[in-house]
Amino acid sequence: MEDGDWVMVRPPTERDLWNPSLVDTESSKPLKLTFSGPAKHWTDAIPIGNGRLGAMVWGGVKEETLQLNEDTLWTGNPGNYTNPNAPEALTQVRKLVDNGQYVEATAAAVKLSGAPSDVYQLLGDIKLEFDESHLKYAEETYHRELDLDTATVRVKYSVAGVEFLREHFVSKPDQVIVAKISTSKSGSLSFTVSLDSKMHHNSHVHGKNQIIMEGSCPGKRIPPKANANDNPKGIQFSSVLDLQISDSKGVIQVLEDNKLRVEGSDWAVLLLVASSSFDGPFTKPSDSKKDPTSESLNKLESIKNLSYSQLYAHHLDDYQNLFHRVSLQLSKSSKSILGNNLLKTEKVVSLVTNSDFKESEDEKISTSERVKNFQTDEDPSLVELLFQYGRYLLISCSRPGTQVANLQGIWNKDIEPAWDGAPHLNINLQMNYWPSLPCNLSECQEPLFDYISSLSVNGSKTAKVNYEASGWVVHQVSDIWAKTSPDRGEAVWALWPMGGAWLCTHLWEHYTYKMDKDFLKNKAYPLLEGCATFLLDWLIEGPGGYLETNPSTSPEHMFIAPDGKPASVSYSSTMDISIIKEVFNAIVSAAEVLGKTEDDLIKKVLAAQPRLLPTKIARDGSIMEWALDFQDPDPHHRHVSHLFGLFPGHTITVEKTPDLCKAADNTLYKRGEDGPGWSTTWKTALWARLHNSEHAYRMVKHLFNLVDPDHESDYEGGLYSNLFTAHPPFQIDANFAFSAAVAEMLVQSTIKDLYLLPALPRDKWANGCIKGLKARGGVTVNICWQEGDLHEVGLWSKDQNSLQRLHYRGTTIKASISSGRVYTFNRQLKCVKTYSL
């Protein structure tokens, strides 16, 4: 394998199709996470991934670890997600609710709970061991970075004047984790490599330059029992490490039949492939015909003739096609910061060699130091970095054909991760995909739609048996087996049959951004039909002629019942009704597009819509969280579920429901600013929807709090040194929601409306440019502003004509957008230029 000099990167992407008139006088800092030393904690390591395979690069000197994940490694087997005793318990709970016995209903609702989800597992580790001289490396020469522009990790340091460089990336096209190690002195590279895992496994050398590790996941989430019948076969996995070194220098030796030793080489390239026996959520591992080891060896065989340069070129071409669609520049200076230096129409990237790898002055300041300094310097370029990091992470953990991004994306070091690493459907899974549409990564949302399809299969059984209802239902937590039954435990979290309905709103949102009728007809509408059918059956007659949900909870939150005791079960929580309104609006709109408005289902939905409880305002002026104005024992609770209609929903808007917006404003004041990272970023988006730039920015700033992993229980929210967001512990949802919330501050939309800079913090981001954001109606949006005022807008639609209303600070104009043409508008929203794409 020989190194190449140049790699050609793909031609212009969407961000390059419109060039602002302002000229760049001060380019932004590089989009890099930088570290001044090896990782001491897992949250200091750097995540890389291709959607299916992931690694955390620690950057150790004498001993290096690449901690590995493969997204199908889970405990368990397909399950039975029904409870034949549930209908009787449901009748009892409903009667107690009808009688106002909410405490008793809360206790009785435990009978509706089910079993816990299965657990996300890990793959293992690549272990590298260097000789004793590495203990004496020159600390001042150490540098570790993640370059978001290339999705490449680099680690550099010097030992006795010899420079060592490691480069790491994960290729989606070639499905391989790649590591290259090189030195500045010929023949000076020596190390030992092995594979290890916390999972049940064995490893052995294969041939002269490969290591195979084979293992299995537990067939049940609980420790296997002695009785073989209680220990079903779990998912099997295999990983193969291939080692190649320079032709002219060096040898590879086999040690202890499970390690490889490199001596005296110029460079080495490590390729890691992995496969599992997982064959879909409905196939038992014992019935799977997949052979993980054969698949892994075949994959290596298919790429054996590719040089490192070719692998890197494939990786860059794939990754940058997605990442380069959007650029963001922010500045609080009075200088114009926009233009062409950042936004090249063509890009040629050199493969890094020792001599090329030099730090700028900016890069000498570690990212963790920048986070620490943010409360005083409020560096806008750090906002840029975190915004683009969210996009990077989504590209790296969710691609067409992979599993959905779970609670930690794909990155996990534990056999028993926090909250099982499982997708949680009462905010977290949905939040993972908030940036996919506005931030121009719609392909990354495809795994969610595949997942919804699987959930609808199991969910129809749960609906029929548990609730004697048609359609399909999903509750609050799921797993790779598409679990649809309630979680185990208390009703306050377990009893929440709205998970599937919330997911279905993503189907309609996808259509509103992409305007793809084939997707709407073939994928979205059948799922919306099943969801709406369940909701119609779940709704029952309530007082005053309204339809109600009973039992009902507001996710993970309690109230004080009239008897003074805490309870969680009542009827028609605001979130329940808000989600149902959103789904009903979606299916009616979809039916109009598809010519199905005369279908019986649509007629039933139209009849039900006016009978849903309106969102109500409490005595204290906030949005009521429950149908009754219960006392809230925890007014600063982390969930803001009763504001679903404001964001991500659309039933509360500044223009159409000003009274509810005022109540939402009061609700956010009442909730306060503290909370986990995902709560912070949700509040950012909520304030943005209220067009409140000051408070949206306060929540942005609130997230920039460096978490100490040794004392993380002292924190609420914040960021780790690798910019992972904290609950704590680490949950990835806030990383994604941050990107979505920043986009929401800059652009909001309906299919016919574009709101420009609706929540721009003019004093904090006085100058800036966002290019390549997507808006509903299939429009790509580019905006530049100067000294807090709109300067230029560029719009285009590739596939359809549209009539847009542009809104900016009280001014509204109509703009006719023809497909295939770019339109530039000035600060008065007057079209000053148009040309073909």
Side-chain angles (χ1 to χ4, degrees), residues 89-308:
L90 180 63
T91 300
Q92 179 190 6
V93 172
R94 281 179 167 167
K95 185 176 181 180
L96 290 168
V97 170
D98 286 342
N99 293 336
Q101 296 174 278
Y102 304 118
V103 175
E104 292 81 0
T106 300
V110 174
K111 297 176 185 176
L112 292 167
S113 297
S117 67
D118 272 290
V119 185
Y120 185 50
Q121 300 290 276
L122 51 88
L123 176 58
D125 300 314
I126 299 175
K127 299 279 192 180
L128 300 175
E129 298 177 50
F130 295 84
D131 59 41
E132 296 296 319
S133 66
H134 279 57
L135 291 171
K136 300 177 181 178
Y137 75 99
E139 292 187 15
E140 69 277 7
T141 66
Y142 185 94
H143 182 77
R144 180 165 55 102
E145 70 173 32
L146 167 62
D147 184 351
L148 298 185
D149 193 61
T150 60
T152 306
V153 172
R154 300 185 183 95
V155 181
K156 184 196 74 170
Y157 58 90
S158 295
V159 176
V162 178
E163 197 166 84
F164 288 79
L165 174 66
R166 307 180 198 150
E167 300 163 86
H168 308 276
F169 63 90
V170 190
S171 168
K172 169 71 165 62
D174 296 311
Q175 288 296 313
V176 60
I177 298 174
V178 182
K180 181 176 182 182
I181 311 172
S182 55
T183 71
S184 61
K185 181 180 178 182
S186 180
S188 60
L189 181 61
S190 301
F191 65 93
T192 300
V193 60
S194 60
L195 295 178
D196 196 9
S197 181
K198 297 176 183 177
M199 308 291 287
H200 178 72
H201 76 284
N202 64 77
S203 65
H204 62 275
V205 171
H206 177 251
K208 297 180 179 179
N209 68 325
Q210 292 181 344
I211 303 174
I212 296 177
M213 179 172 71
E214 297 168 311
S216 60
C217 301
K220 297 176 75 172
R221 63 167 284 144
I222 57 175
K225 299 176 182 177
N227 186 335
N229 293 330
D230 290 326
N231 184 18
K233 184 177 184 179
I235 295 170
Q236 310 294 296
F237 64 85
S238 179
S239 60
V240 181
L241 177 78
D242 182 271
L243 174 63
Q244 302 180 30
I245 62 171
S246 50
D247 295 330
S248 57
K249 287 277 184 76
V251 295
I252 299 176
Q253 302 168 339
V254 175
L255 301 181
E256 304 169 23
D257 193 42
N258 61 6
K259 297 180 181 178
L260 295 173
R261 172 74 180 169
V262 173
E263 288 281 1
S265 181
D266 290 347
W267 54 260
V269 171
L270 288 75
L271 307 178
L272 190 287
V273 296
S275 303
S276 87
S277 65
F278 178 74
D279 198 17
F282 311 121
T283 301
K284 293 180 181 179
S286 59
D287 293 336
S288 173
K289 302 293 190 274
K290 299 180 76 172
D291 182 338
T293 300
S294 293
E295 283 192 15
S296 295
L297 290 170
N298 289 340
K299 170 48 65 179
L300 272 178
E301 181 69 19
S302 72
I303 61 174
K304 71 175 184 180
N305 294 323
L306 297 177
S307 68
Y308 178 82

Side-chain angles (χ1 to χ4, degrees), residues 673-748:
E673 296 183 353
D674 292 335
W678 58 262
S679 180
T680 300
T681 48
W682 192 358
K683 291 168 186 171
T684 309
L686 288 162
W687 281 118
R689 277 279 170 94
L690 291 171
H691 297 183
N692 189 319
S693 59
E694 178 188 352
H695 279 89
Y697 182 78
R698 282 176 65 93
M699 298 314 299
V700 166
K701 186 176 178 180
H702 193 74
L703 188 65
F704 286 89
N705 182 25
L706 187 66
V707 175
D708 178 357
D710 286 325
H711 303 94
E712 65 181 10
S713 62
D714 296 341
Y715 295 80
E716 261 199 303
L719 299 169
Y720 294 101
S721 70
N722 66 358
L723 295 189
F724 272 169
T725 49
H727 185 286
F730 161 56
Q731 277 184 211
I732 202 167
D733 38 25
N735 283 110
F736 299 132
F738 181 84
S739 302
V742 169
E744 201 72 21
M745 293 168 74
L746 302 177
V747 178
Q748 293 173 27

Side-chain angles (χ1 to χ4, degrees), residues 316-536:
L316 284 182
D317 188 54
D318 165 74
Y319 171 76
Q320 291 183 335
N321 173 49
L322 295 167
F323 188 74
H324 280 176
R325 292 175 182 176
V326 174
S327 65
L328 172 64
Q329 288 177 287
L330 300 172
S331 173
K332 57 185 177 182
S333 74
S334 59
K335 297 178 182 178
S336 170
I337 52 87
L338 311 167
N340 300 320
N341 287 351
L342 180 70
L343 310 172
K344 299 294 185 184
T345 56
E346 294 182 9
K347 188 158 187 164
V348 179
V349 177
S350 168
L351 281 178
V352 176
T353 65
N354 290 345
S355 59
D356 295 326
F357 189 65
K358 292 183 172 65
E359 293 176 70
S360 69
E361 287 302 312
D362 286 335
E363 291 167 339
K364 290 180 180 178
I365 303 173
S366 69
T367 301
S368 61
E369 285 299 313
R370 294 177 67 190
V371 173
K372 279 184 186 177
N373 295 338
F374 190 86
Q375 294 301 318
T376 52
D377 68 20
E378 299 185 53
D379 178 8
S381 68
L382 192 56
V383 175
E384 295 173 24
L385 184 66
L386 192 60
F387 169 84
Q388 292 286 24
Y389 188 52
R391 297 182 67 247
Y392 163 84
L393 290 172
L394 188 59
I395 295 169
S396 302
C397 75
S398 183
R399 295 287 204 102
T402 71
Q403 303 304 304
V404 287
N406 64 48
L407 209 56
Q408 297 182 181
I410 49 174
W411 299 279
N412 168 41
K413 64 178 172 54
D414 297 314
I415 297 290
E416 297 181 355
W419 300 287
D420 302 326
H424 283 59
L425 280 58
N426 62 8
I427 177 61
N428 316 94
L429 177 60
Q430 293 87 347
M431 185 177 274
N432 284 359
Y433 289 97
W434 283 357
S436 60
L437 293 168
C439 296
N440 210 338
L441 295 172
S442 60
E443 300 94 325
C444 295
Q445 196 172 209
E446 288 185 24
L448 182 65
F449 301 146
D450 294 338
Y451 193 54
I452 296 171
S453 294
S454 297
L455 290 169
S456 71
V457 174
N458 286 337
S460 64
K461 300 171 187 174
T462 305
K464 183 178 181 180
V465 175
N466 288 34
Y467 304 129
E468 298 177 330
S470 303
W472 60 275
V473 63
V474 188
H475 292 79
Q476 160 260 356
V477 66
S478 191
D479 55 29
I480 198 170
W481 308 110
K483 167 185 161 62
T484 52
S485 54
D487 193 11
R488 68 176 170 189
E490 300 299 321
V492 65
W493 69 80
L495 182 58
W496 194 71
M498 292 290 138
W502 188 345
L503 288 176
C504 276
T505 65
H506 285 247
L507 296 163
W508 175 246
E509 289 282 17
H510 186 84
Y511 170 76
T512 65
Y513 276 85
K514 304 294 287 185
M515 307 301 287
D516 182 347
K517 285 188 180 180
D518 287 337
F519 168 84
L520 186 63
K521 177 183 177 181
N522 299 322
K523 186 73 171 183
Y525 197 79
L527 292 167
L528 282 165
E529 278 185 310
C531 177
T533 299
F534 169 77
L535 294 175
L536 287 169

Side-chain angles (χ1 to χ4, degrees), residues 597-613:
T597 53
E598 296 302 312
D599 289 5
D600 286 344
L601 175 63
I602 302 305
K603 291 178 180 178
K604 291 178 181 176
V605 169
L606 289 169
Q609 282 180 308
R611 300 183 63 198
L612 297 174
L613 273 175

